[in-house]
Structure formats: C-alpha cells, structure tokens
Amino acid sequence: MSDSPEPRVGEIIERELPGLQRDVPVGPHCAYRVGGPADYLYTARRTEDLRHAVVVGRELGLPVTVLGQATNVLVSDRGIRGLVVLARNDGTRLDGELLTAGAGALLPEVVLDLAGRGLAGLEFAGNIPGSVGGAVVGNAGAYGRAVGDALVQARILAGTDEHTAGPADLAFGYRTSGLKGNPRAVVLETTFALHGGRSNALLAEIARDAELRRGKHPLDYASCGSYFKNPSRELPAAKLIDELGLKGFRFGKAEVSREHANFIVAHPGAGADDIRRVAAEVRRRVFERFGVRLEEEVILLGFE
C-alpha cells in the first residue's frame, strides 16, 4: 500500500463502496445535461447505502455531494471534487394515510401512485420533476402549496450523526428550507401525511396540470425549470425578463427560452459557463432597469 494519502483514500473508498466509479462526468445525471467529472461517483440504491456512503466519504475527509435527479442543479464544467453520491433509494411504504419514501424516490411517480389509490395531499406536485429528497430540500411546490405543508418528518444525516426533524425544525419558506445551502445535511427518508380523495378527480387534476405545463414550458430543450426565484407572488421573474425583451437572448449554446422567460435552456453542446453567462446578463439587466436583484433558484455546484 502506498504511503501517500490519495491512494489510501482510493483503496478504502473502493472497498467500502462496491461499484464506485472514478472521474465520471456528472452531466448525464443532471437535467441540464452539462457538468464535468466527479472524482468519485457512487449510486446508492438503498437508504442504508446512502447513509453509509456519506459517512465513509466524510470520515475520509472528502467533500461529499448528494444528488437526487439534479433537476434544480447546475454543475460546473470543471466538475465536482470529492465524492458524488446519487440517491436512488426509491422505496416507499404506506401505513394508512402516512407515506414514507426514500429520498431517491421519483416525486411524480410517487404522487401518481397515491392518486391512483385515492390518497390526496401531494397531487399539486404530480408534475414537478425530481426526487422526494430534493423536493423537501427546495420545498418544491405549485399553486400556492408546497411539499413542506404535508411533511410529518424527515430522517436527516447531519455530518455523520442521524436525527429526525419535523417541519418546525426545517425552516420551510418559498422554494427553500433550512436544508438548502447546507451540504452537511442530507435527507435520507421522508414521511408525509395524506388524506382520502377521489382517485378519478386526483388523476384528472394531475393530467390538467401536465397539459398546462406542456403548453407554456419549453420541454424540447434541457433546463432546470424556473432559473430564478420570483421576487414575490405578485412579481414573477418571467415578467421582468420578458419586459426587457430578453426571450431568445443567447450566449454560446445557452438561451433564454422563447416560450418562458424564466427558463434558461441548454442546446446540444452547451456548457455550464454558457448558462451562467446568460443568467448573469439577465440579472444585470433586470437590476439595471427595475432595481430588483434576481436570486437563483438553481443550485450551483463546483463553481468557485
């Protein structure tokens, strides 16, 4: 065994995490389809695998990044240092009207299954892409409702210690929570309170929402949905951007969508730097014209 620390770390982590990959591009695992390599990439298919991978990485002194479906993430072209763990623990269980779901469960699939069973409480999220864990971190929502409203508790790994947190502990806000921006806190599992509903009505609501989204969202190109947070409910970011005539504004292979001004879409061959430059110019012009500082809803990873 080599005396240098890096080979030793590599040997230990490969032994502890079977199937670990080195120097693997992260982009294919992200909605934007851009992003450079991770030093180490591991796919956790069970909740205990997710917990173990994070603990091992941290005990070895590596930066650890956990990704769900990365539908709200932009990864640098230079990649992410340390260990990237893909949360694919998608198991669910029902106990009456309580749903427990692994952080890696796909939110639309979970909601559709619940609607088919006549269980309401999350139907507004039936077309929000991403994982359950990511939805909790970002307090994903639509139509004035959010996943935090239905959350009973979340199983959280903080550092290498695990605890259970309720909604009051998680500081939920508009498209945010106390977990967002805190890479030390990892959602392992979640529990939601549901209530009875009519299956046909719930499924019809999800279908109507899907049709509405198809009509106004640019689904033909890679994106992370709304790039900026709305400054307020009364002042959508898209309205400000549209009023400046920025639809179609482009840098490299990235562009402000011509269909929805708060979507920055990535054409084939785009890089993360293209997207960042479009976003920076949009922010500059909005502030210059309206005095409003747009805040990114997208989480930036691997940027200095």
Side-chain angles (χ1 to χ4, degrees):
M1 181 181 296
S2 170
D3 292 332
S4 63
E6 182 58 32
R8 182 173 180 272
V9 167
E11 291 167 7
I12 294 172
I13 199 168
E14 287 182 337
R15 182 174 69 243
E16 291 289 333
L17 305 178
L20 182 82
Q21 298 174 282
R22 292 194 187 209
D23 297 319
V24 181
V26 179
H29 302 286
C30 302
Y32 254 133
R33 315 302 290 175
V34 303
D39 293 336
Y40 301 101
L41 183 74
Y42 176 71
T43 302
R45 303 198 179 278
R46 302 180 309 155
T47 298
E48 293 314 307
D49 293 338
L50 173 57
R51 184 188 187 284
H52 179 64
V54 173
V55 170
V56 167
R58 288 175 174 168
E59 288 182 342
L60 289 172
L62 292 171
V64 178
T65 303
V66 177
L67 296 178
Q69 295 298 310
T71 55
N72 203 33
V73 167
L74 178 62
V75 175
S76 163
D77 295 326
R78 289 159 287 286
I80 305 177
R81 303 285 64 80
L83 171 65
V84 173
V85 182
L86 301 179
R88 298 295 183 263
N89 54 323
D90 57 1
T92 61
R93 61 183 183 274
L94 275 169
D95 182 7
E97 293 183 344
L98 284 179
L99 167 75
T100 299
L106 293 174
L107 183 62
E109 291 185 4
V110 169
V111 175
L112 190 63
D113 179 67
L114 293 173
R117 296 171 184 265
L119 289 170
L122 288 172
E123 62 280 357
F124 65 90
N127 294 290
I128 297 176
S131 65
V132 169
V136 170
V137 171
N139 197 23
Y143 310 113
R145 302 165 67 189
V147 295
D149 301 334
L151 187 77
V152 174
Q153 63 181 33
R155 186 176 157 198
I156 307 290
L157 184 65
T160 57
D161 298 320
E162 186 181 320
H163 67 277
T164 299
D169 306 312
L170 297 177
F172 284 120
Y174 172 65
R175 302 294 183 268
T176 192
S177 74
L179 300 167
K180 195 169 184 177
N182 179 7
R184 300 288 292 171
V186 175
V187 176
L188 299 174
E189 198 173 65
T190 58
T191 301
F192 297 96
L194 310 169
H195 57 271
R198 290 174 46 240
S199 178
N200 288 346
L202 294 170
L203 292 171
E205 180 179 339
I206 293 170
R208 284 194 301 272
D209 178 44
E211 186 62 28
L212 181 65
R213 288 171 182 261
R214 278 193 292 270
K216 66 179 184 179
H217 290 175
L219 303 180
D220 293 335
Y221 301 104
S223 81
C224 276
S226 294
Y227 193 92
F228 298 105
K229 294 180 181 179
N230 291 327
S232 70
R233 292 184 186 277
E234 298 75 29
L235 188 62
K239 182 175 186 296
L240 298 175
I241 300 167
D242 197 10
E243 285 187 13
L244 288 171
L246 287 174
K247 282 184 175 178
F249 172 76
R250 183 167 179 154
F251 186 92
K253 299 286 188 176
E255 178 182 37
V256 176
S257 168
R258 298 171 189 271
E259 297 173 67
H260 192 301
N262 197 18
F263 280 53
I264 298 177
V265 298
H267 294 273
D273 286 344
D274 293 344
I275 297 165
R276 286 292 308 280
R277 291 191 181 190
V278 170
E281 183 62 13
V282 168
R283 290 184 66 183
R284 186 189 70 79
R285 294 197 196 183
V286 167
F287 181 72
E288 185 178 80
R289 172 75 177 273
F290 301 108
V292 175
R293 294 188 186 278
L294 290 180
E295 183 180 348
E296 281 153 323
E297 187 172 324
V298 171
I299 298 170
L300 307 176
L301 297 176
F303 295 92
E304 294 182 0

